[in-house]
Amino acid sequence: MQLYHHPFDLDSQKVRLALEERGIDYTSYHVNPVTGKNLDSSFFKMNPSGRLPVFQNGSHIIYKTIDIIQYIERIAEVSSGFENISTSSTEVIEWMQKIQEWDPKYFSLSYIPEKNRIYVSKFIRRVVIARMSECPELAGAYHKKLREVYQTEEKLQDPDVLRRSKEHLVRLLDEAERQLNETPYLVGQEFSMADVMLIPVLARLVLLGLENEYITCRPNIVEYWVMVQQRPSYRKVIGRYFDGWRKHKTLFKTWCFVCVRSFLKRF
């Protein structure tokens, strides 16, 4: 089993947390979307959308985050002999879908300095064009990706897009706050795949420096956030990359790669 992912990517974090929580062995491949590695023809042939994560088990390839997590649960259930692990309940799945409905893309990008964001966007466009010339049989898929990059920049200029994203996030957090007033985890007394979906959302807010605005003002989420950060899965999947100085190291390394390749015009 192989997982194509990156520590920056929120959906990748969800899948990796599920793998760690279920104790599933897999081969890890880092594919950095900021540096355009998700646009390499070998990856693009496997997933023409270029999105992460991608889970592969033999010839079976899965792209959607919830589908991957449910597949992981089935693997864990079979491996345990149907005794120790059960698949997610309807309530857990409902929470998973509710969390997944919030798209962090425009919200996250809106907090990146515009100059830096446009610089990376221009780099990605050049990578797409370069890959298109190298692999003309995928020209249709690359054209679609190029339009997506332009559309992203256009939508980031629309205040309504950002307003709706923030309002959606607030509704989600408010509902989680109410639920965590009743139970220690999102669905009852036990950690579930619903929590796997929520943890990266909270981690993204902390990474963007928005902890006071979105987390601290919700006491139940504060208590929950402190608790889940103690889990080994969190420390391995998120903490090792974004706690303390590691956050700056991870981001600085990526930024240097983009700057050097842009300067050398090697896309």
Side-chain angles (χ1 to χ4, degrees):
M1 289 180 285
Q2 297 88 39
L3 179 69
Y4 298 84
H5 68 98
H6 195 270
F8 292 0
D9 181 65
L10 192 143
D11 283 338
S12 293
Q13 292 172 354
K14 295 172 183 176
V15 170
R16 288 196 64 214
L17 284 169
L19 286 163
E20 295 298 328
E21 288 288 340
R22 293 310 195 203
I24 303 296
D25 291 329
Y26 63 98
T27 302
S28 171
Y29 295 100
H30 279 200
V31 180
N32 194 335
V34 179
T35 61
K37 292 301 181 183
N38 59 320
L39 301 171
D40 288 352
S41 59
S42 57
F43 183 83
F44 223 63
K45 288 175 182 177
M46 182 170 57
N47 181 13
S49 73
R51 295 177 183 174
L52 299 174
V54 173
F55 186 81
Q56 183 175 15
N57 187 10
S59 61
H60 193 47
I61 299 174
I62 314 175
Y63 312 123
K64 295 182 179 180
T65 301
I66 293 179
D67 290 346
I68 296 173
I69 291 175
Q70 291 181 315
Y71 185 79
I72 290 168
E73 286 196 288
R74 290 195 292 272
I75 293 173
E77 186 180 19
V78 172
S79 301
S80 68
F82 303 92
E83 295 177 358
N84 301 320
I85 298 178
S86 59
T87 54
S88 293
S89 65
T90 301
E91 190 177 359
V92 170
I93 294 173
E94 288 175 354
W95 263 107
M96 291 170 67
Q97 293 171 340
K98 195 178 302 182
I99 295 168
Q100 191 64 14
E101 285 173 359
W102 179 66
D103 185 352
K105 180 179 180 180
Y106 300 111
F107 179 88
S108 299
L109 289 174
S110 69
Y111 285 95
I112 296 175
E114 185 177 13
K115 180 181 178 180
N116 296 347
R117 191 184 71 230
I118 292 175
Y119 186 87
V120 172
S121 179
K122 185 177 180 180
F123 173 81
I124 294 298
R125 295 199 301 269
R126 289 176 172 175
V127 171
V128 173
I129 293 169
R131 298 297 172 270
M132 195 185 304
S133 64
E134 294 170 2
C135 200
E137 67 271 23
L138 293 175
Y142 279 123
H143 272 296
K144 185 177 180 180
K145 192 67 179 179
L146 191 59
R147 287 196 301 272
E148 182 183 313
V149 177
Y150 279 112
Q151 288 170 358
T152 296
E153 282 303 316
E154 290 175 5
K155 288 184 177 181
L156 283 168
Q157 303 304 316
D158 184 349
D160 287 337
V161 171
L162 302 179
R163 176 183 55 79
R164 288 193 295 269
S165 181
K166 290 181 180 181
E167 289 175 351
H168 191 166
L169 174 62
V170 168
R171 289 195 301 271
L172 175 63
L173 294 176
D174 285 345
E175 188 170 352
E177 174 71 7
R178 290 191 294 271
Q179 180 60 43
L180 293 170
N181 189 49
E182 305 294 330
T183 57
Y185 295 102
L186 275 182
V187 184
Q189 302 297 316
E190 300 294 332
F191 187 91
S192 71
M193 292 299 107
D195 301 293
V196 158
M197 299 289 288
L198 182 60
I199 290 171
V201 174
L202 301 179
R204 175 60 56 89
L205 294 172
V206 173
L207 177 66
L208 293 173
L210 301 172
E211 188 172 3
N212 289 336
E213 184 176 351
Y214 290 97
I215 297 178
T216 306
C217 57
R218 296 176 172 87
N220 295 318
I221 290 182
V222 169
E223 184 177 349
Y224 170 85
W225 177 233
V226 171
M227 179 172 59
V228 296
Q229 287 182 84
Q230 307 308 312
R231 298 185 75 85
S233 61
Y234 171 87
R235 293 197 293 268
K236 184 171 183 178
V237 173
I238 300 175
R240 68 178 293 189
Y241 295 101
F242 295 110
D243 283 353
W245 63 271
R246 296 180 183 88
K247 171 179 65 176
H248 302 289
K249 176 185 176 183
T250 305
L251 296 173
F252 180 74
K253 185 177 179 181
T254 297
W255 179 248
C256 285
F257 180 95
V258 171
C259 290
V260 170
R261 294 297 287 268
S262 295
F263 177 76
L264 297 175
K265 300 188 182 301
R266 294 181 58 187
F267 307 108

